[in-house]
Amino acid sequence: MSDNVQQYITKTQADYARCIDDDRLEEWPNFFHGPCLYKITTSSNYRDGLEAGIVFANSRGMLSDRVSALRDANIYERQSYRHILGQPSIISKEGPMVRSETSFLVARILQDGDTSIYATGRYFDLYEIADEAAKLNERTVVCDSSRIDTLLALPL
Amino acid sequence: MNKIVLPPNESSPASWPEGLTRVPYWVFQDQKIYAEEQRRIFQGPNWHYLALEVELAEAGDFLTTQVGDTPVIVTRDSDSEIYAFENRCAHRGALICLEHRGKHRKDFSCVYHAWNYDPQGNLTGVAFKDGVKGKGGMPDSFKMEQHGPRKLRIAILHGLIFGSFSEDVPSIEEYLGEEILTRIERVLGGRTPVVLGRFTQVLPNNWKLYMENVKDSYHASILHLFFTTFELNRLSQKGGIIVDESGGHHVSYSAIDPDAEKDVEYAKQQLRSESEYKLADPTLLQGFDEYHDGVTLQILSVFPTFVLQQIQNAIAVRQIVPRAVDKTDLNWTYLGFADDTPEQRLTRIKQGNLVGPAGYISMEDGCVGGFVQRGIAGASDERAVLEMGGAEAKSSESRVTESSVRGFWKAYRANMGL
């Protein structure tokens, strides 16, 4: 069972990364289910228990608004990400609810071709395992560095 | 007084255009200007934001920050007073403190040769000062009290700690003037701020381009399309620009017009049925009446590099730190207040989405400075045009003006002798 859990989470995370990296952002909110929480913060804020995020959404509507704002309102140079994910570590399991931690590295590719390491960090996730799949309830993206280059448009 | 050394393509200081409506692009590009700014502005008679008093709540608390290029340690000593001094060992110049912040610090010791400092920045110990077995050591002429990092003057205003390296800087009250003081008090007066988060946005441009942007109310509804796209900016808002006498400090504010509010309610009804775009979760913008004066936006800047922001209920201080001619750190500190209810706290955190590096209405500010920096490459003989709203640097009821941007240049030129 726990091997399966690992597999389900790995699959969900791989699909999540492809969704963003392939610029299918309209599908991105669909990765969240139930009482949705998505937050981007830094390791020092996380360590100190500071509540605010660089991005904070506690409803799927707020995730959709992120995407429509990026498409229709916000101004930024075209850019894309390449997510490289580590293996998820299962932190705790209570019934169908599983907490995991996964390392990520995100490279950002700007329209002039410049590719750089944009962010490294950890996903702290809460999944619900149902129907042989892991559904994301909460994702706290904790960036290792508190420095963000220029702006953060796309989700991590 | 040292003379400004101008870039080679400019023949004399007179080449800075007359008046306040033209800004030569070399001022964002020239290495010598950057160095001169460090000396005249950041070491000069100005007040620089260092930290929040609440970040140094207890004796022994300390943090490190920067005034321009210069690293600085800020402490609260056992006498409960705030002190600040250069984070540079008097011996060989190494950093004295490597940590960003911490507690319970009774002294600071340089790792290189263990020269030791008290929390007020006094040199209190020199390793092997008297040598070993009567040999070596410092000469008798060496007096510890004659050596030590430079200390900053400190001014505390509504929980904001400012520091200055200059003995000539006027009092903070005189420096800011009544109108700016009142507007700082409006946001912070009599309240205990709580830090909700800290982030640094790395900007690919000269620091002055960010300060211009902060003071530029003309761009706000053009560059930041979030409100207009989501048709949330139908409020017919009144407001204005305050520019202080020096030109260097400003306030831009807008207020809900009670007469227009009925129309807004009407418009909202229309919006739901007619508009293609709307927020799926409009709770993002549902705030609470915090200041009871109808002002939903107040952006305040203090020359040279401090910003206090109220955007609805998103309160933040911003500290601008120049890192190079074309690189700037923008340090964000998001604030709540100790007496916030949980609902108010959540509102602030939700409205945090409006600001910062991922902010719906300020992520663009992170990139436009870079667009200018790249755009003016190779054009150091050219000049920016700042004629919107006239040629002066005065307070104005209209926000379609570059008055406070011109004010910045007025103060900048006075500081730089240009």
Side-chain angles (χ1 to χ4, degrees), chain B residues 20 26 65 76 127 147 151 159 161 180 214 242-243 254 258 270 282 287 298 338 342 344 362 372 380 383 401 418:
Chain B
L20 298 171
W26 50 254
T65 184
R76 189 184 289 274
H147 297 269
K151 297 175 183 180
I161 304 170
I180 305 294
V214 163
I242 299 167
V243 184
S254 57
Q270 297 289 314
Q298 179 186 296
Q344 289 172 336
S362 66
V372 175
S380 48
R383 294 151 181 195
T401 178
L418 281 169

Side-chain angles (χ1 to χ4, degrees), chain B residues 4-248:
Chain B
I4 292 274
V5 183
L6 281 159
N9 54 348
E10 296 286 339
S11 52
S12 75
S15 68
W16 190 293
E18 282 292 308
L20 298 171
T21 63
R22 296 290 185 276
V23 178
Y25 290 139
W26 50 254
V27 81
F28 304 110
Q29 299 169 322
D30 190 76
Q31 195 63 49
K32 294 189 198 85
I33 288 287
Y34 181 90
E36 197 66 13
E37 286 167 354
Q38 293 298 325
R39 202 173 62 76
R40 291 193 181 228
I41 294 176
F42 293 97
Q43 306 290 328
N46 292 303
W47 287 108
H48 302 276
Y49 171 77
L50 300 177
L52 294 164
E53 205 179 4
V54 74
E55 295 180 283
L56 300 162
E58 294 169 20
D61 289 355
F62 69 95
L63 55 80
T64 52
T65 184
Q66 281 187 242
V67 172
D69 282 346
T70 307
V72 167
I73 302 174
V74 192
T75 70
R76 189 184 289 274
D77 198 7
S78 51
D79 63 358
S80 292
E81 296 293 317
I82 301 285
Y83 296 89
F85 53 93
E86 211 174 8
N87 186 6
R88 184 168 67 80
C89 183
H91 177 212
R92 295 281 300 280
L95 289 171
I96 298 166
C97 180
L98 304 175
E99 295 150 79
H100 284 302
R101 58 189 70 241
K103 302 183 78 65
H104 312 302
R105 188 59 75 93
K106 293 191 172 63
D107 60 0
F108 295 86
S109 187
C110 175
V111 294
Y112 200 176
H113 303 89
W115 284 34
N116 203 62
Y117 301 90
D118 70 19
Q120 302 186 17
N122 300 306
L123 177 61
T124 52
V126 170
F128 302 122
K129 181 168 172 289
D130 300 323
V132 175
K133 294 182 181 171
K135 292 180 178 162
M138 293 299 248
D140 292 339
S141 60
F142 180 83
K143 302 283 181 251
M144 286 205 291
E145 58 273 18
Q146 291 171 359
H147 297 269
R150 284 184 307 156
K151 297 175 183 180
L152 284 83
R153 285 177 62 189
I154 294 290
I156 298 176
L157 187 72
H158 300 302
L160 304 170
I161 304 170
F162 290 89
S164 180
F165 282 111
S166 169
E167 287 303 319
D168 301 326
V169 69
S171 73
I172 191 81
E173 289 80 9
E174 196 184 330
Y175 183 74
L176 293 173
E178 192 56 40
E179 282 187 299
I180 305 294
L181 280 170
T182 305
R183 294 293 182 144
I184 293 175
E185 184 179 17
R186 173 181 169 273
V187 179
L188 298 174
R191 311 176 81 185
T192 305
V194 174
V195 174
L196 301 182
R198 298 184 187 94
F199 314 97
T200 298
Q201 198 173 350
V202 179
L203 306 178
N205 53 264
N206 188 277
W207 67 276
K208 300 187 293 296
L209 288 169
Y210 185 77
M211 285 311 284
E212 279 194 308
N213 178 271
V214 163
K215 290 164 180 284
D216 173 7
S217 52
Y218 169 37
H219 85 283
S221 62
I222 302 168
L223 174 66
H224 306 307
L225 296 177
F226 179 78
F227 282 124
T228 43
T229 299
F230 291 99
E231 299 197 24
L232 294 155
N233 201 22
R234 286 191 176 184
L235 303 170
S236 52
Q237 292 191 305
K238 55 180 182 179
I241 301 275
I242 299 167
V243 184
D244 86 308
E245 204 162 308
S246 76

